[in-house]
């Protein structure tokens, strides 16, 4: 029981750095001696000391003969920082309790092996499910070389994201909009389609105290993004435009001169989203928050590229045969191919309902 209490504390403090450690995982560490916590630490940012090192530095000489609780297997290799497993051995830790092994296939188990070879007692699997949920982004990126994609929709009770005349601001409440900015803050990038750029000219920034602006990704097969669009000229964050080789070269040059990165994804008239995801992952973009329209949303779902859905539902009925819905495209003609969600959670955000869940991509 105490093991779960201490590991839960490690998971809690690891979450302090949510959205700040990419491409590294979220990790928390707690050092316990004589049934009391003597030190804590968490990984704060890539390139800075890992959670175990921060906790060991706090504990000092008291770390000898203590128990370390850590949410992820201590690293065993030199990366941006030295290996934590060796530091744990040198500190004289007696026992290490680990929530989950490192999902990186190149290093999984090696940190545990170093600890065991040094005579340290090791226990693995305490609150593993919680640890995996905490690092769902890192696990997806490190094991598949694709970003973790979260699709967000904001719609009326009858599924509309705009009126038949195109009015869309604001369907959901101020509280929901603040929640969206909190979600932007914890993602590496935000993605929209060209339709949203042309209709709304958004900035895609995070408007909360202490928030960070995600990288902005525009899916624009014909390169119709205006050269004076906010995402091009405001200088608030990096902008990437995904297009095809059919894009006009003069527009490519003009956007590049404005500081935009252009990624060519396929030779067809449509951006190949699978190629795009691979390209983004290679740039250490581990998480993407999609705020696109119905066309982009369906394309991502159709290609099984969405991992999680956040659906904000306002208690309004808009109606209208021509009013846009949150998922458009051709749709799924067979109910057996429809996208299902699991691990559903619901909560009230102001007067709105937020439904979230993990996408079952095994259809």
């Amino acid at each position: 029981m105490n093991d779960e209490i201490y590991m839960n504390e490690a998971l809690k403090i690891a979450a302090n750095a949510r959205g700040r450690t990419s491409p590294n995982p979220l990790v928390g560490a707690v050092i316990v001696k004589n049934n009391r916590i003597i030190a804590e630490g968490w990984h704060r940012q890539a390139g800075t000391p890992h959670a175990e090192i921060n906790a060991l530095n706090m504990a000092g000489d008291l770390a000898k003969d203590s128990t370390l609780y850590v949410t992820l297997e201590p690293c065993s290799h030199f990366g941006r920082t030295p290996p934590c497993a060796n530091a744990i051995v040198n500190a004289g830790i007696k026992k290490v309790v680990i929530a989950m092994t490192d999902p990186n296939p190149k290093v999984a188990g090696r940190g545990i092996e170093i600890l065991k070879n040094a005579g340290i007692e090791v226990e693995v699997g305490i609150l593993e499910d919680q640890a995996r949920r905490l690092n769902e982004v890192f696990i997806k990126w490190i094991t598949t070389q694709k970003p973790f994609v979260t699709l967000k929709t904001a719609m009326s009770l009858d599924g509309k994201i705009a009126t038949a005349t195109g009015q869309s601001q604001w369907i959901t409440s101020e509280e929901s909009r603040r929640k969206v900015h909190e979600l932007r803050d914890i993602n590496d990038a935000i993605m929209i389609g060209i339709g949203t750029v042309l209709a709304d000219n958004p900035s895609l920034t995070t408007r909360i105290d202490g928030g960070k602006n995600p990288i902005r990704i525009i899916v624009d097969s014909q390169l119709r993004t205006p050269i004076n669009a906010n995402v091009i000229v405001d200088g608030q964050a990096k902008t990437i435009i995904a297009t095809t080789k059919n894009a006009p070269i003069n527009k490519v040059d003009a956007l590049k001169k404005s500081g935009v990165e252009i990624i060519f994804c396929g030779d067809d008239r449509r951006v190949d989203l699978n190629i795009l995801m691979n390209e983004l992952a290679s740039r250490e973009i581990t998480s993407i928050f999609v705020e696109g329209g119905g066309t982009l949303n369906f394309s991502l779902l159709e290609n099984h590229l969405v991992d999680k859905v956040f659906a904000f539902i306002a208690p309004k009925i808009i109606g209208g045969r021509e009013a846009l819905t949150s998922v458009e495209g051709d749709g799924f003609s067979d109910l057996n191919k429809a996208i299902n969600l699991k691990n559903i959670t619901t909560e009230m955000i102001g007067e709105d309902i937020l439904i979230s869940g993990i996408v079952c991509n095994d259809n």
Side-chain angles (χ1 to χ4, degrees), residues 31-34 38-39 55-68 87-95 120:
I31 298 177
V32 175
K33 194 170 187 177
N34 298 324
I38 62 170
L56 289 171
N57 288 341
M58 178 181 288
D61 293 339
L62 291 176
K64 184 175 175 58
D65 294 327
S66 64
T67 298
L68 170 67
I88 293 168
V89 172
N90 294 336
I93 296 287
K94 180 174 62 176
K95 180 179 179 181
I120 297 174

Side-chain angles (χ1 to χ4, degrees), residues 69-331:
Y69 292 82
V70 62
T71 59
L72 184 69
E73 175 185 359
C75 63
S76 58
H77 61 293
F78 283 88
R80 293 172 178 167
T81 58
C84 293
N86 293 345
I88 293 168
V89 172
N90 294 336
I93 296 287
K94 180 174 62 176
K95 180 179 179 181
V96 178
V97 181
I98 301 167
M100 61 175 287
T101 57
D102 190 334
N104 186 342
K106 296 180 179 179
V107 298
R110 293 181 182 176
I112 292 172
E113 184 179 3
I114 290 172
L115 299 176
K116 287 183 174 180
N117 288 341
I120 297 174
E121 182 183 353
V122 178
E123 185 174 352
V124 182
I126 301 298
L127 300 187
E128 180 175 357
D129 289 345
Q130 292 90 321
R132 295 186 71 84
R133 285 197 296 271
L134 176 72
N135 272 312
E136 59 188 3
V137 168
F138 176 74
I139 293 170
K140 170 74 182 295
W141 177 72
I142 201 67
T143 59
T144 69
Q145 288 77 58
K146 279 187 168 67
F148 187 94
V149 177
T150 300
L151 189 154
K152 164 254 165 181
T153 64
M155 56 190 168
S156 63
L157 195 59
D158 55 337
K160 306 298 185 181
I161 62 172
T163 66
T165 60
Q167 184 182 355
S168 61
Q169 296 181 343
W170 296 100
I171 290 176
T172 52
S173 65
E174 183 178 344
E175 292 89 343
S176 289
R177 296 196 294 274
R178 177 177 175 81
K179 178 69 173 180
V180 168
H181 284 282
E182 292 173 356
L183 292 169
R184 288 181 180 182
D185 175 60
I186 63 173
N187 280 273
D188 292 346
I190 183 169
M191 177 182 287
I192 61 172
I194 180 59
T196 303
V197 175
L198 297 176
D200 300 333
N201 191 23
S203 294
L204 306 180
T205 53
T206 300
R207 295 184 285 279
I208 56 175
D209 290 342
K212 68 170 178 61
N213 292 328
I215 295 170
R216 300 172 295 199
I217 302 166
I218 315 299
V219 180
D220 181 3
S221 58
Q222 302 303 311
L223 217 53
R224 292 184 292 151
T225 302
I227 201 71
N228 61 347
N230 286 333
V231 292
I232 306 301
V233 301
D234 66 10
Q236 295 298 305
K238 178 179 180 178
T239 296
I240 296 172
I241 297 182
T243 190
T244 67
K245 292 184 178 179
N246 291 322
I249 190 63
N250 61 326
K251 191 67 173 292
V252 171
D253 293 339
L255 288 167
K256 284 184 175 180
K257 288 179 181 177
S258 297
V260 175
E261 181 179 358
I262 305 293
I263 300 179
F264 294 98
C265 302
D267 298 324
D268 276 339
R269 295 181 178 180
R270 296 179 62 184
V271 169
D272 188 315
L273 293 173
N274 282 286
I275 292 175
L276 175 58
M277 291 302 170
N278 291 333
E279 289 288 336
L280 296 173
S282 71
R283 289 160 171 78
E284 295 190 340
I285 294 176
T286 66
S287 58
I288 298 174
F289 190 60
V290 179
E291 291 193 59
T295 301
L296 177 61
N297 290 349
F298 177 71
S299 294
L300 289 165
L301 289 166
E302 183 183 31
N303 283 279
H304 301 289
L305 294 172
V306 177
D307 298 287
K308 179 180 277 191
V309 172
F310 280 88
F312 293 83
I313 304 172
K316 299 175 182 176
I317 297 175
I318 295 175
R321 185 174 298 164
E322 303 301 321
L324 295 175
T325 60
S326 58
V327 181
E328 301 264 336
D330 294 331

Side-chain angles (χ1 to χ4, degrees), residues 148 150-151 306-311 340-345 355-360:
F148 187 94
T150 300
L151 189 154
V306 177
D307 298 287
K308 179 180 277 191
V309 172
F310 280 88
N340 293 308
L341 303 183
K342 61 182 179 181
N343 300 339
I344 303 297
T345 63
I355 300 176
S356 60
I358 298 295
V359 175
C360 300

